[in-house]
Amino acid sequence: MQSLIIVSNRLPVTIDKTIKKSSGGMVSALEGLGDKFNIRWIGWAGGVVEDPEKKEEITTELKQKFNFSPIFLNEGDMEDYYTGFSNSSLWPLLHYMPSNVRYEEPWFRKYQKVNRMFAEKVLDQSDPDDIVWIHDYHLMLLPSILRKERPDMTIGFFLHTPFPSYEIFRCHPKRKELLEGLLGADLIGFHTFGYLRHFRSTVLRILGIESEFDHIPVENSRCFIDVFPIGINSKKFQEFLDTNAFTRRLKALRKVYSGKKIVLSVERLDYTKGIPRRLEAIDLFLEETGRNDVIFLFISIPSRQSVPEYRELRQEVEMKVSQINGKHSTIGQVPVHFFFRSVNFEELCALYALADAATVTPLIDGMNLVAKEYIFCQKEKSGALILSEFAGAAQELCQAYVVNPYYIRQISDTIKQALDADEEEKRRRLLPMKKRVKKHDARFWAESFLASLTPRCQKVPCPVQLPGLSPEAMTQIGHAQRRALFLDYDGTLAEFKRIPENAAPSGEVEKILFSLSRQNQFDVYITSGRKREEMDRWFSKFGLNLIAEQGFCYKEKNADDWVFITHEADLSWKDNLRDFLKLHTGMTPGSFLEEKTASFVWHYQNADPDFGIWKAHQLVSELQDMLSNLPVKIHHAKKNVVIASVHANKGAMVSHLMAMKNYDIALCIGDDDTDESMFLLSDPKTIGINVGVGKETGADFQYPSPKALLSFLEKLLEQTQT
Ligand code: GDG
């Protein structure tokens, strides 16, 4: 059976005198998958255990009882990795609260260290074919650490919190490292499309990687992104709702609160949950309605009390509760019942079933399971769910009473509306939500995530539309006497660089260029859009033929001078266009204009990515109108727009040289729009090879990346050697 390794910050256990399994949604969702997978779970056991014997004991028991493998953190790890980096830095960042974000350098070092500890454990506990599913913001570096060690590993990552907009995420000092860490996964799951959308735009703006609609290209592979809203452990709730114990408990609670309307709040005491504003709304409600038959029941679970913001929040909330009660209590009626503790599962179910309304008004929340659990537990009556539009759950529970958690009057009015609504109205809202919550439960969530993860990770190194060079083409090349190789540079031989000057040949590229200069099987032409001077500066040392300015001129390897393809090109359009292009450049900060003998190139790789592409489309559309009757071609290439004389054409130059030199075969290799003129030549003696993925091309064959092309070239030289 296939093994599934779940990795999360905490193991779902409480270790006291005995070890007990705790039962969150995730535990039960995964338990249900036991028939499909052999499940192992890796995570922190909680607390600090120093004694090696005790560690050994816990490890053995966890393994035997539950197939869990514990990570042990020391005091320092706990403070820096958990309380510090995870809860005081990442949590507020991911929840749009940059003013609460604190950052200390040692915290990140510990976060790296603990992520590595998790990686070691995963590597130690897994076989190459296992599936690894990592959970949440505590382990954002883990996917890439694992990927480095095991390039073929199947790795999924699910983020349980929101992913904020780029403007927020960019505030974090380690934004780049965090994103790079995540991109080691094969699949990243989010609760909502909004979070996915923010993630894509953040990756574009911080890492400069443009994503496809469903994946982000990463080196030679793809990191898929998709939406999987988590659900509740419906089986467990249903089982309890069907018992007599539940009926008894509900009856008892009804007796206690007889004659009262109950409005319930259940959450960890966290500043994301919108508790102070909700209390203000309650204050307003009580003031305006004067009702003394409504009880607001707060179950506030103590959380992260070692973080100062949480201690302050507790004080603020307790103060507000006492003010409201001081103001609105009457004999026999205290409006806010505040419990700073958790209740057991049975009590929780009974409270859900009892409450006439639930107020779930977080300022922001990844999903919020309480909202779904409340809906599920409505059995005999129809309770009203008052739900923040900023909880992920609001995307699914559209029939709830949706409120803006910052709009106190609206919350107050909605409580009134919900309590006054008749049974039919409440049922009309409840039933479709109940149906959805029941069907899309935690098991459904886990199954759909894994169903997406497994087929996508078939270890295909890189997706290409076209195959690499065929054996027949290789034979054709082998038989040819006079062979030419037209080789584009940027994006083909060398990876595309944000700053064009930084793409000078080095390392592997330099090595292959020297190999090409030493061989005599092919006449090699470096076929670029770059200027003549730059070509001379970068390539003269290799002793190769050069073609510059998109095919407008060439220089043979031993020659001193450049030869132009024609002296009759009409270039007068350039004078009319120059000022227009300069104006366009000025209006697009970060862009720049390059002028060549027979062309202009407007580069926007350093402009704001969205604005740059928008201005490029605008430019192309305006130029098409302006230049329609002139001998000019417009190419929207990679992060640039080329406006070139029709004579600056790589295809035309290839034809010219083929005829002049009588080649029997020519391999034309390139990656962008300006190379298509070579691929579209109808001469059967040319073979087109495109470098890239997912793009329409007229080439015959394809390699996914410059790296893949370099290996192909090495092989080509070997195989054509006589
Ligand atoms: C994170 C994201 C996302 C609460 N009080 C008691 C109690 N609970 C249980 C509830 C519910 C769970 O705790 C709380 O889940 P939430 O989803 O509301 O919130 P977080 O813990 O912050 O979870 C969140 C979630 O991950 C899943 O992806 O929805 O957005 O922040 O299941 O029932 N359980 C018991 N007693 C209590 O007093 N027994």
Side-chain angles (χ1 to χ4, degrees):
M1 199 189 285
Q2 170 96 65
S3 285
L4 170 65
I5 300 182
I6 303 293
V7 194
S8 65
N9 171 55
R10 277 297 305 269
L11 283 175
V13 287
T14 39
I15 302 182
D16 224 337
K17 283 190 190 98
T18 58
I19 300 183
K20 270 200 234 119
K21 193 166 174 187
S22 40
S23 57
M26 226 161 88
V27 184
S28 57
L30 299 167
E31 271 170 354
L33 301 173
D35 49 347
K36 288 192 185 149
F37 298 98
N38 166 25
I39 298 168
R40 262 169 284 160
W41 198 315
I42 293 173
W44 175 31
V48 174
V49 183
E50 297 286 7
D51 177 11
E53 260 179 46
K54 184 82 193 154
K55 283 187 185 172
E56 193 66 44
E57 208 179 286
I58 292 176
T59 307
T60 313
E61 194 175 338
L62 283 172
K63 175 86 193 150
Q64 281 171 356
K65 271 192 172 162
F66 312 115
N67 208 10
F68 289 174
S69 289
I71 299 275
F72 293 102
L73 301 183
N74 62 32
E75 201 70 53
D77 296 337
M78 209 167 88
E79 261 170 38
D80 292 351
Y81 148 80
Y82 182 66
T83 306
F85 197 80
S86 300
N87 288 339
S88 307
S89 204
L90 287 180
W91 177 266
L93 180 88
L94 295 167
H95 288 85
Y96 283 83
M97 305 204 175
S99 54
N100 282 1
V101 171
R102 288 182 291 122
Y103 176 72
E104 289 176 25
E105 223 57 62
W107 290 358
F108 185 62
R109 284 199 289 275
K110 272 300 165 50
Y111 186 77
Q112 288 175 305
K113 178 195 142 185
V114 174
N115 271 251
R116 277 197 294 268
M117 278 165 62
F118 272 82
E120 276 159 30
K121 185 65 109 190
V122 174
L123 293 170
D124 179 56
Q125 300 280 311
S126 64
D127 292 322
D129 285 343
D130 296 350
I131 296 171
V132 177
W133 188 6
I134 304 163
H135 291 264
D136 231 357
Y137 61 98
H138 314 85
L139 301 172
M140 286 168 87
L141 305 178
L142 184 55
S144 283
I145 302 176
L146 290 174
R147 176 68 61 220
K148 231 184 193 160
E149 296 297 323
R150 295 240 184 106
D152 284 344
M153 189 176 241
T154 300
I155 306 170
F157 183 94
F158 190 84
L159 185 68
H160 289 259
T161 66
F163 194 91
S165 81
Y166 157 72
E167 298 297 350
I168 297 289
F169 197 80
R170 71 191 297 205
C171 299
H172 201 279
K174 296 294 170 192
R175 57 207 179 174
K176 191 166 170 282
E177 289 80 350
L178 292 166
L179 291 176
E180 285 170 346
L182 285 175
L183 290 184
D186 292 295
L187 172 66
I188 304 178
F190 301 91
H191 285 308
T192 73
F193 177 67
Y195 309 155
L196 178 148
R197 194 163 51 83
H198 291 315
F199 182 69
R200 288 181 75 198
S201 90
T202 305
V203 165
L204 170 65
R205 285 160 179 280
I206 291 175
L207 301 181
I209 307 177
E210 258 172 67
S211 45
E212 298 298 327
F213 85 98
D214 66 345
H215 74 267
I216 295 167
V218 192
E219 288 190 7
N220 281 344
S221 74
R222 298 183 285 183
C223 170
F224 282 90
I225 42 181
D226 208 339
V227 176
F228 305 93
I230 197 169
I232 65 164
N233 183 354
S234 53
K235 185 164 168 262
K236 183 174 176 215
F237 277 93
Q238 192 58 58
E239 275 168 11
F240 183 64
L241 294 184
D242 290 341
T243 62
N244 291 334
F246 165 74
T247 318
R248 275 199 305 275
R249 188 62 205 137
L250 179 59
K251 208 166 153 196
L253 281 175
R254 283 217 177 105
K255 212 163 162 192
V256 175
Y257 291 111
S258 121
K260 304 287 181 195
K261 294 267 184 195
I262 303 296
V263 179
L264 180 68
S265 296
V266 177
E267 62 238 323
R268 279 185 307 102
L269 191 75
D270 193 295
Y271 51 75
T272 60
K273 301 288 182 184
I275 304 170
R277 282 182 173 83
R278 195 184 313 147
L279 285 167
E280 282 177 44
I282 290 169
D283 191 7
L284 184 64
F285 168 88
L286 292 169
E287 200 157 295
E288 290 192 347
T289 61
R291 283 179 76 152
N292 69 355
D293 63 336
V294 184
I295 287 179
F296 294 91
L297 209 64
F298 278 76
I299 309 294
S300 289
I301 299 112
S303 178
R304 306 174 191 172
Q305 287 296 297
S306 50
V307 177
E309 284 81 5
Y310 285 75
R311 292 197 296 272
E312 286 158 22
L313 177 71
R314 180 185 173 186
Q315 280 177 359
E316 185 189 352
V317 167
E318 287 180 344
M319 173 88 85
K320 275 210 158 82
V321 168
S322 112
Q323 280 168 350
I324 294 172
N325 283 340
K327 203 162 131 192
H328 301 286
S329 292
T330 55
I331 302 294
Q333 161 77 358
V334 177
V336 180
H337 292 197
F338 180 77
F339 298 82
F340 183 55
R341 60 178 164 80
S342 57
V343 294
N344 65 33
F345 176 71
E346 291 73 20
E347 187 80 350
L348 183 71
C349 292
L351 283 170
Y352 281 149
L354 172 80
D356 298 279
T359 39
V360 180
T361 61
L363 303 178
I364 177 94
D365 209 335
M367 172 53 69
N368 196 296
L369 291 174
V370 167
K372 293 187 172 182
E373 291 166 0
Y374 175 70
I375 293 291
F376 193 83
C377 290
Q378 299 311 297
K379 234 186 137 186
E380 291 152 23
K381 56 151 208 1
S382 304
L385 173 65
I386 299 169
L387 179 61
S388 161
E389 63 182 275
F390 303 127
Q395 301 293 312
E396 293 175 85
L397 306 179
C398 322
Q399 294 81 6
Y401 291 85
V402 175
V403 293
N404 173 350
Y406 292 89
Y407 192 2
I408 287 153
R409 161 149 303 282
Q410 191 193 36
I411 303 175
S412 164
D413 288 349
T414 308
I415 297 173
K416 232 182 290 171
Q417 188 195 348
L419 290 179
D420 291 345
D422 59 34
E423 189 59 22
E424 201 189 319
E425 162 69 0
K426 286 194 284 183
R427 256 175 76 81
R428 186 188 64 74
R429 288 175 179 264
L430 182 74
L431 290 183
M433 295 196 281
K434 211 168 167 183
K435 204 167 151 197
R436 179 164 181 102
V437 170
K438 205 168 171 180
K439 184 162 179 225
H440 296 256
D441 64 358
R443 190 187 157 110
F444 178 90
W445 165 77
E447 281 180 347
S448 43
F449 183 90
L450 290 168
S452 285
L453 175 63
T454 33
R456 277 171 176 173
C457 309
Q458 286 160 353
K459 312 294 179 294
V460 180
C462 208
V464 283
Q465 287 163 318
L466 294 168
L469 197 79
S470 65
E472 295 76 29
M474 190 55 109
T475 312
Q476 193 189 356
I477 296 167
H479 288 153
Q481 294 290 313
R482 297 183 56 77
R483 308 178 187 119
L485 188 57
F486 293 94
L487 200 45
D488 172 51
Y489 183 70
D490 294 276
T492 299
L493 264 184
E495 292 285 354
F496 190 76
K497 290 273 164 37
R498 269 176 104 93
I499 301 171
E501 295 83 69
N502 290 353
S506 65
E508 288 296 298
V509 177
E510 203 168 33
K511 210 170 116 201
I512 194 85
L513 287 171
F514 277 123
S515 308
L516 288 169
S517 73
R518 280 194 299 268
Q519 55 79 44
N520 53 15
Q521 299 101 287
F522 291 90
D523 281 359
V524 179
Y525 295 84
I526 304 296
T527 310
S528 171
R530 290 189 181 255
K531 289 184 183 177
R532 284 168 280 151
E533 306 78 58
E534 209 163 16
M535 298 291 284
D536 279 332
R537 195 150 32 89
W538 281 8
F539 299 109
S540 53
K541 67 176 172 191
F542 301 108
L544 297 167
N545 306 302
L546 305 178
I547 296 175
E549 302 196 17
Q550 322 291 3
F552 194 64
C553 47
Y554 71 95
K555 185 180 190 180
E556 297 210 37
K557 59 183 174 191
N558 299 320
D560 290 331
D561 297 319
W562 286 85
V563 179
F564 290 87
I565 193 158
T566 173
H567 288 286
E568 279 147 32
D570 172 10
L571 300 176
S572 58
W573 54 271
K574 282 184 68 197
D575 292 332
N576 301 330
L577 205 57
R578 192 171 293 108
D579 284 346
F580 170 78
L581 290 173
K582 279 186 180 165
L583 188 70
H584 189 83
T585 306
M587 288 172 72
T588 317
S591 72
F592 65 93
L593 185 66
E594 206 186 355
E595 182 168 351
K596 303 174 190 178
T597 319
S599 61
F600 288 108
V601 185
W602 180 70
H603 297 266
Y604 64 90
Q605 62 263 46
N606 297 325
D608 175 285
D610 290 321
F611 188 51
I613 191 125
W614 188 73
K615 290 296 277 182
H617 285 305
Q618 187 188 52
L619 179 65
V620 169
S621 142
E622 285 178 20
L623 288 175
Q624 272 161 351
D625 288 342
M626 284 166 75
L627 305 174
S628 58
N629 294 320
L630 294 167
V632 176
K633 272 223 153 215
I634 304 159
H635 303 278
H636 189 173
K638 265 188 201 152
K639 302 278 183 193
N640 61 50
V641 175
V642 181
I643 309 112
S645 157
V646 288
H647 298 286
N649 177 305
K650 290 183 181 178
M653 179 57 93
V654 169
S655 290
H656 176 77
L657 290 165
M658 293 272 297
M660 196 167 92
K661 304 271 180 177
N662 228 347
Y663 291 124
D664 303 321
I665 196 91
L667 264 80
C668 304
I669 309 181
D671 70 308
D672 73 18
D673 204 37
T674 64
D675 301 304
E676 291 294 318
S677 59
M678 301 194 285
F679 304 150
L680 295 176
L681 290 173
S682 52
D683 187 341
K685 288 187 279 188
T686 58
I687 296 174
I689 299 179
N690 173 256
V691 175
V693 279
K695 189 183 156 279
E696 288 263 314
T697 174
D700 311 293
F701 304 106
Q702 200 170 39
Y703 288 91
S705 62
K707 204 168 161 197
L709 180 76
L710 291 188
S711 325
F712 160 70
L713 287 174
E714 277 167 14
K715 222 164 38 186
L716 178 73
L717 294 185
E718 255 172 52
Q719 293 192 6
T720 49
Q721 227 160 24
T722 43

